[in-house]
Amino acid sequence: MQATLPTTPSFDRAAERARVQRERRRTAMIDVLVTLGTIALALLVGFLVMLIVGKDPILAYSSLLGGPLSRTNRTGRWIEDATTLIILGLSVSIPFRARQFSLGAQGQMFMAAMIAAVIAIYVPMPPLVAVLLPLAAAMLAGFLVGLLPGLMKAYLNANEIVSTLMLNAVVVLLYDFLLTNVFTPPGSQSLRSEAIQAGSMLARFTTLLGVNLGRANLAVLFAAILVVAVWALLNRTPFGYEIRTIGANEKFARYGGINTRRAIALSFAIGGAIAAVAGVHLVLGVHQRLIPGIAAGLGFEGIVVALLARNNPLLIPITGLFYSYLRVGGDIMEQEAAVGTEIVLVIQAVIILLLTAQVLVNYVKSRSRPVRET
Amino acid sequence: MDQALQVIFSATFIAAVLRVSTPILLPALGGLISDLGGVVNIALEGIMLTAACAGVLISVATQSEWPGLLAGVVMGVLMALVLAFFHLNLKADLILAAIAINILASGGTIFVVFLLTGDKGSTSALVSKQMPFVEIPIIKDIPVIGPIVSGQNLLTYVAFIAVVLVAVFLYRTRAGIHLRAVGENPEAARSVGINVRAQQYLALGLSGLLAALGGVYLSMGYVKFFARDMTAGRGFIALAAIFLGGKTPWGTMIAALVFGAAEALSVQLGNLRIPNQLVQMIPYVATLVALVIYALVQRQRAIARQRKFRQTQTVAVGS
């Protein structure tokens, strides 16, 4: 018995593929436009706020938008901050892809900074190992700090927002405690640990290139490697497929045979391991010792970077560079125009609000929909 | 250890527990209403912060506490309604929008305070007002109970009265029952003619009102100034209190008192020779443990329910 396949005479495979690709390019284009429009709108809101409070918005914005490129050391600050933010954005993107709101990056960074510093200060090591061992240990620590709320969410359905924020507070207090009572050498004037051993320091561009680029350092390479690694993890591995399926529809994923609990817990933990790299960057590259509040104020920055990039690892470098540009510009604006750098936080909030407002985004999309040719 | 025990069983300590529970209890009640309405409000923290800031600034401007209270409440409700608008009308993700509100509050308050005072840390340079402390006539003379119950801040009494009001609202009024119906199953509620969106606006608005009262208490009762990020995670501890309290007003109150006791203990122990940071961890660790306990209890309940269901099934088949 031979079943005859239903024939579809009008189906042209090549044309269909071209149509799909055209459609895909078009949506990508719209996504980019929506994002740019959002940023422009958010900057406009900031502009209006300054106008209302009677500051000179033009002066403020020229230092906000021009500042980071006005001196090489400021550019260095931009690179340094972007490195941290790109890594943070990548870290957040993994649990976010699974629709898990893990906000634990703050605690993971502090824990990683501590572990990396302990090894880099007290354990004598040969050159390359002196970087890799603290890095590996810190990533393990970040993994574990991420795993705990991950397990709590996956197996006990404990609210991950509350658990990660509480864990952050605990880790930051622990960091404070250990820095005050253990790491600061007795008789030291200020609250800070000894410097890490020379072999553990990540080379700075200032010494490598002879241009004053501040504290920007080779951790840029970590960021670059992670971009590719996270992209591959999400798009080319079974685990990435599980994460994306859970993000699209958790019930479907479960019925489809995915061990959703394991995948969810792992998404938290892997995010933690990546956030740890940001902590390592801060210790081995930027400060080269432990200082109070080493990663303070970085808690939510990864979210906006990941969100602007729509959790797409390949776009995160761009949004990370953009957002750190705003942050560094904000500091310069505060010095030069006496407008608080916190306006950047306000702009950040507006960006998140607008980008998540589905109706606005869909409205823009529907307006740009071409007439179907049938 | 003796010292610690003495501290815990003193009237001053219990009075302190009521004092520090207030800014957890008020937002927790708000969060409870929003949670039962199916729109859990993660922005409690930001709403409290905004209200705390607005309250102080307006009380400085008018040199009176009542306009400050009003301004704080109005700003808090406004923030909650912005969240509601973005979620309900513009279909923004509730959690992300709430995170944005929290960031907005954190940045916005510091921005405004810096503009007005040139100081980023706090408004302690300004002379602000405090909500009145109430001495209750006869009760204040009763030996042990007097110092505990009397002499608290007005908003502390409001918080505990609010427990009763919220309970009555949720279980005894039409609006409260509709609100819970919406939280339970929006489609079913819609099918019997309940306006789901209006109920969720109400839920978020009320959560904003209660959280705002908690915020005003912080800056105009608990202390007498606004400081950057002074809420210090209370909005999130409040969320944990809801879960730990089994999503009922009375349970939430008990949970808030437990967290308050942990915090008051950490303040008291700080006077002894125990490192400050370790003691400060107590409320956060307590919250984490509470989350796990709540989850375990929930699971036990679900298992018990299933077993019961199976039993009734077999009985039905057997007969």
Side-chain angles (χ1 to χ4, degrees), chain A residues 161-221:
Chain A
I161 294 172
V162 177
S163 66
T164 49
L165 287 171
M166 295 300 118
L167 205 56
N168 286 350
V170 172
V171 174
V172 172
L173 286 167
L174 181 70
Y175 178 92
D176 258 14
F177 169 71
L178 291 177
L179 182 61
T180 317
N181 297 291
V182 181
F183 298 136
T184 301
S188 165
Q189 293 293 319
S190 56
L191 207 57
R192 56 186 214 174
S193 77
E194 290 168 44
I196 57 175
Q197 57 187 282
S200 294
M201 293 178 185
L202 296 168
R204 289 179 173 169
F205 293 133
T206 306
T207 36
L208 289 177
L209 305 175
V211 186
N212 181 11
L213 282 170
R215 299 177 299 190
N217 57 72
L218 283 182
V220 172
L221 293 179

Side-chain angles (χ1 to χ4, degrees), chain A residues 33-118:
Chain A
L33 286 178
V34 166
T35 306
L36 290 179
T38 306
I39 291 167
L41 209 58
L43 288 174
L44 184 69
V45 169
F47 194 84
L48 290 177
V49 168
M50 281 185 239
L51 209 60
I52 292 167
V53 300
K55 293 284 175 181
D56 179 354
I58 305 216
L59 171 68
Y61 263 47
S62 64
S63 37
L64 175 69
L65 299 179
L69 293 179
S70 58
R71 285 180 212 158
T72 54
N73 66 330
R74 287 174 171 173
T75 311
R77 237 157 80 203
W78 175 33
I79 299 171
E80 172 202 323
D81 199 46
T83 307
T84 314
L85 289 198
I86 291 169
I87 298 173
L88 275 180
L90 291 169
S91 134
V92 168
S93 71
I94 294 174
F96 270 39
R97 266 292 178 88
R99 290 197 60 74
Q100 305 299 316
F101 294 100
S102 168
L103 305 179
Q106 180 98 4
Q108 290 148 6
M109 273 187 290
F110 271 99
M111 186 58 96
M114 252 186 306
I115 300 291
V118 168

Side-chain angles (χ1 to χ4, degrees), chain A residues 119-135:
Chain A
I119 296 175
I121 293 172
Y122 300 111
V123 183
M125 290 170 287
L128 192 60
V129 177
V131 172
L132 294 182
L133 187 66
L135 177 68

